[in-house]
Amino acid sequence: MVWGVLEEMRIRSLGVIDDAVVELSPGFTAVTGETGAGKTMVVTSLGLLLGGRADPALVRIGAGSAVVEGRISLPPGAPAALRAEEAGAELDEGALLVTRTVSAEGRSRAHLGGRSVPVGLLAELADELVAVHGQTDQQGLLKPARQRGALDRYAGEAVAGPLAAYGEVYRRLRAVTAELDEITTRARERAQEADLLRFGLGEIEAVAPLAGEDAELAAEAERLGHAEALASAAALAHAALAGNPEDPESVDATTLVAGAGRALEAVRTHDPALAALADRMGEISILLADVAQELAGYADDLDADPLRLAAVEERRAALTQLTRKYGDSVGAVLLWAEESAARLLELDGDDDRIGELSAERDRLRDELSVLAQRLTDARVEAADRFAQAVTAELASLAMPHARVSFDIRQTEALDEAAGVEVGGRRVVYGPAGADEVELLLAPHPGAPPRPIAKGASGGELSRVMLAVEVVFAGVDPVPTYLFDEVDAGVGGKAAVEIGRRLAKLAKSAQVVVVTHLPQVAAFADRQLLVEKTNDGSVTRSGVTVLEGEERVRELSRMLAGQEDSETARAHAEELLATARADG
């Protein structure tokens, strides 16, 4: 199923393009024109729409900003449509409008379905929408890591499943190994920390403080330090309330209040207000008696023993020693002791923890070995199928004797403990397994397979790239393929075959090709001509759809540099006829 088609792009103030609209075919579109006419700006524009890096140098001189607008049709339920709607974008009659603006100062903005969005979201959608291939992508294919990724992508779930499981085990093994290294390398520091904790806990245990004890002792010390003054004050107050037994003539508050109460009781029946006062006077009398009794008891219980005071101060001094080291109060000291005891238990358990981590590390390595072997087996199986499919495609691209293969190998681990076991050997491993994958090409019989970085010419590399993409289209298609100069270094029959294979790819996806080869352009469903005006810019009329005679003239120019050459015209018409016959 095709999940979207790029219908058109409007490009303003980008490079040599002043203002132009590029209308694309849902099948195969070829973009042609003189060298320097701005064909690659089509690729650059699409790159901007797909979240590519914004270069302010691309902004046309004299313009404040460059703007690229794209219209992509998306059927309901397409992954890109769902993701765009999650971001708040609205579809316009089933089409998604994408806008990218780059200012001359370097600022970049992105809009999706009328909603301002982060540029990173465009890049996220690009994975669902377009596969872009140009000279830089071919260079990327030369890197073994990219070749392994391409093989894994082709293998599908056969590699994706064990690779996901491998990744989880790999990350856990890294964490366990890091913790184990931390414990063992910091053993001396941890032993010193444990000794300090033991010493502190020993000091606290020797004193054995109780929660709130410091406040209680402070209050007791204050009372004992002023025992005589407290006893004298209590005695005077008691005498004032209850009288002095040694002075029969002294007047006390209890007697006076009792007399006042009797006077009021005698007449309380004559006035309710006075009766209320009599009741209150009775309450006062009872209160005075209670206070006098408590004062007597206080004086009897007051201990002015200096030995007790000395013991209290000694205990407070011991607690002060603890609060200076371990907390501002006895409560803080007790909290430190609780936390330190837990930490000491952890430190003392290092030997046990080392044993546990070592056992888990060994188990994880064994598990990783099994998964790494599964990955290797799956890659070897997929590599054979992938190589055969690409080789078959190369035969259709005028490389009938070329053979593609994969070299899947592992590097033996110098430190046996640092490797995993694959194929009966201890080998180096990484986050994607233990395999080093390299794509090899033997361009003709008798030639030894060599890495494509060394064994392929520019034209051969272009065809290998196209063959790989055609094979991918059968297992992991994307809606739109954009090829920039995929036919570099190619001519003659090979160019015709590239055009034929691109046309085949366009039967299941949208294909846009920037090309200088008429053999390729002839196979396109739509040919766009990019041409400059006299002032060196590309305007709205500078990007045109070629039909009939105009297309023959452009193909003639591409063939011979002369639009009116009868020989070139005949050849152009022959190319078009060949393309129609294949279609």
Side-chain angles (χ1 to χ4, degrees):
M1 174 179 284
V2 176
W3 285 116
V5 172
L6 180 63
E7 295 179 344
E8 68 176 25
M9 289 191 299
R10 183 178 183 185
I11 309 166
R12 286 176 287 173
S13 302
L14 185 72
V16 298
I17 297 180
D18 179 25
D19 188 348
V21 175
V22 180
E23 298 179 358
L24 302 171
S25 164
F28 181 3
T29 300
V31 182
T32 63
E34 294 278 6
T35 300
K39 300 189 300 297
T40 56
M41 285 298 104
V42 175
V43 179
T44 301
S45 300
L46 186 55
L48 288 172
L49 286 181
L50 300 175
R53 187 178 68 87
D55 185 355
L58 294 172
V59 179
R60 185 170 172 77
I61 296 174
S65 62
V67 181
V68 182
E69 299 171 292
R71 180 181 177 87
I72 304 172
S73 66
L74 293 171
L82 297 176
R83 183 66 186 92
E85 288 172 349
E86 286 177 6
E90 294 184 2
L91 269 64
D92 178 20
E93 297 180 352
L96 183 63
L97 303 180
V98 185
T99 305
R100 183 79 181 276
T101 305
V102 181
S103 72
E105 293 78 25
R107 294 188 303 274
S108 172
R109 294 176 303 181
H111 288 80
L112 195 64
R115 176 67 61 89
S116 178
V117 297
V119 173
L121 179 58
L122 299 187
E124 184 181 333
L125 293 178
D127 292 338
E128 299 284 349
L129 294 173
V130 180
V132 181
H133 296 291
Q135 296 299 318
T136 56
D137 300 279
Q138 290 184 11
Q139 294 302 314
L141 188 63
L142 301 182
K143 299 176 182 178
R146 287 283 296 274
Q147 294 171 13
R148 183 178 60 201
L151 177 59
D152 289 353
R153 175 182 159 200
Y154 176 81
E157 186 57 33
V159 165
L163 184 59
Y166 177 96
E168 291 182 11
V169 176
Y170 177 82
R171 287 187 290 273
R172 177 57 189 161
L173 177 58
R174 295 253 336 232
V176 168
T177 303
E179 185 179 352
L180 191 56
D181 290 344
E182 193 269 343
I183 291 177
T184 53
T185 56
R186 292 188 54 208
R188 179 177 298 177
E189 295 176 22
R190 295 167 74 92
Q192 291 173 346
E193 182 185 356
D195 286 343
L196 288 174
L197 292 176
R198 286 193 190 91
F199 179 80
L201 290 170
E203 282 194 320
I204 294 172
E205 185 178 358
V207 175
L210 301 174
E213 184 181 6
D214 47 348
E216 294 175 3
L217 289 174
E220 185 177 1
E222 183 73 13
R223 186 171 65 253
L224 291 173
H226 299 83
E228 291 185 4
L230 292 171
S232 175
L236 288 174
H238 181 269
L241 291 178
N244 188 347
E246 298 178 359
D247 184 6
E249 305 220 351
S250 63
V251 179
D252 59 85
T254 302
T255 302
L256 293 174
V257 169
R262 287 193 296 274
L264 293 176
E265 282 293 332
V267 294
R268 66 178 294 157
T269 57
H270 303 304
D271 187 352
L274 199 60
L277 291 174
D279 291 338
R280 292 172 61 189
M281 191 62 70
E283 293 171 1
I284 293 173
S285 180
I286 294 170
L287 183 60
L288 285 175
D290 289 343
V291 172
Q293 186 176 357
E294 288 185 24
L295 284 170
Y298 176 83
D300 292 339
D301 294 339
L302 190 62
D303 186 2
D305 185 2
L307 294 178
R308 174 57 186 166
L309 178 59
V312 168
E313 293 296 351
E314 183 179 355
R315 178 66 176 173
R316 292 185 69 200
L319 294 177
T320 300
Q321 288 291 328
L322 297 181
T323 56
R324 284 176 182 168
K325 295 181 180 181
Y326 309 111
D328 295 334
S329 64
V330 168
V333 170
L334 292 172
L335 179 60
W336 182 91
E338 181 181 349
E339 294 174 347
S340 297
R343 174 60 175 164
L344 183 59
L345 191 63
E346 177 185 334
L347 293 172
D348 286 343
D350 273 0
D351 290 342
D352 293 339
R353 183 60 178 156
I354 288 174
E356 292 172 2
L357 290 173
S358 298
E360 184 177 5
R361 179 198 58 194
D362 294 343
R363 179 184 61 78
L364 289 170
R365 278 182 180 163
D366 291 343
E367 189 174 349
L368 210 61
S369 293
V370 173
L371 291 169
Q373 185 68 63
R374 285 180 58 193
L375 278 174
T376 298
D377 294 343
R379 283 170 176 152
V380 168
E381 189 277 332
D384 185 53
R385 290 187 292 110
F386 192 14
Q388 289 184 30
V390 174
T391 297
E393 284 297 328
L394 289 177
S396 301
L397 293 171
M399 293 178 68
H401 304 298
R403 294 291 180 270
V404 168
S405 60
F406 278 95
D407 178 20
I408 300 177
R409 61 186 181 275
Q410 299 82 33
T411 300
E412 196 160 342
L414 298 178
D415 179 6
E416 186 173 336
V420 295
E421 187 172 327
V422 175
R425 297 183 303 138
R426 278 281 168 183
V427 297
V428 175
Y429 65 96
D435 303 317
E436 298 171 36
V437 176
E438 196 158 32
L439 186 61
L440 307 178
L441 173 69
H444 53 80
R450 300 181 64 195
I452 59 172
K454 301 175 182 178
S457 65
E460 289 170 340
L461 183 58
S462 296
R463 281 177 278 177
V464 171
M465 187 74 180
L466 177 56
V468 167
E469 202 55 73
V470 170
V471 170
F472 274 146
V475 296
D476 186 19
V478 294
T480 299
Y481 294 91
L482 176 64
F483 294 95
D484 181 19
E485 303 292 346
V486 72
D487 48 20
V490 178
K493 181 180 179 182
V496 173
E497 294 303 332
I498 285 181
R500 185 173 282 120
R501 301 315 285 169
L502 288 169
K504 177 183 176 183
L505 182 60
K507 294 185 182 300
S508 59
Q510 182 182 36
V511 176
V512 181
V513 179
V514 177
T515 183
H516 66 282
L517 291 181
Q519 296 94 330
V520 172
F523 281 88
D525 299 308
R526 173 174 295 175
Q527 184 173 347
L528 299 179
L529 174 63
V530 180
E531 55 186 349
K532 294 180 181 178
T533 59
N534 292 332
D535 65 357
S537 67
V538 178
T539 63
R540 181 180 288 271
S541 61
V543 180
T544 55
V545 178
L546 300 180
E547 303 280 358
E549 180 63 24
E550 291 179 339
R551 189 171 185 186
V552 172
R553 284 173 60 82
E554 171 62 7
L555 291 175
S556 299
R557 181 199 65 76
M558 296 172 72
L559 282 163
Q562 300 175 358
E563 296 94 332
D564 298 323
S565 165
E566 289 300 325
T567 302
R569 288 177 58 82
H571 191 184
E573 290 172 349
E574 182 182 356
L575 282 175
L576 288 171
T578 300
R580 294 191 190 100
D582 280 5

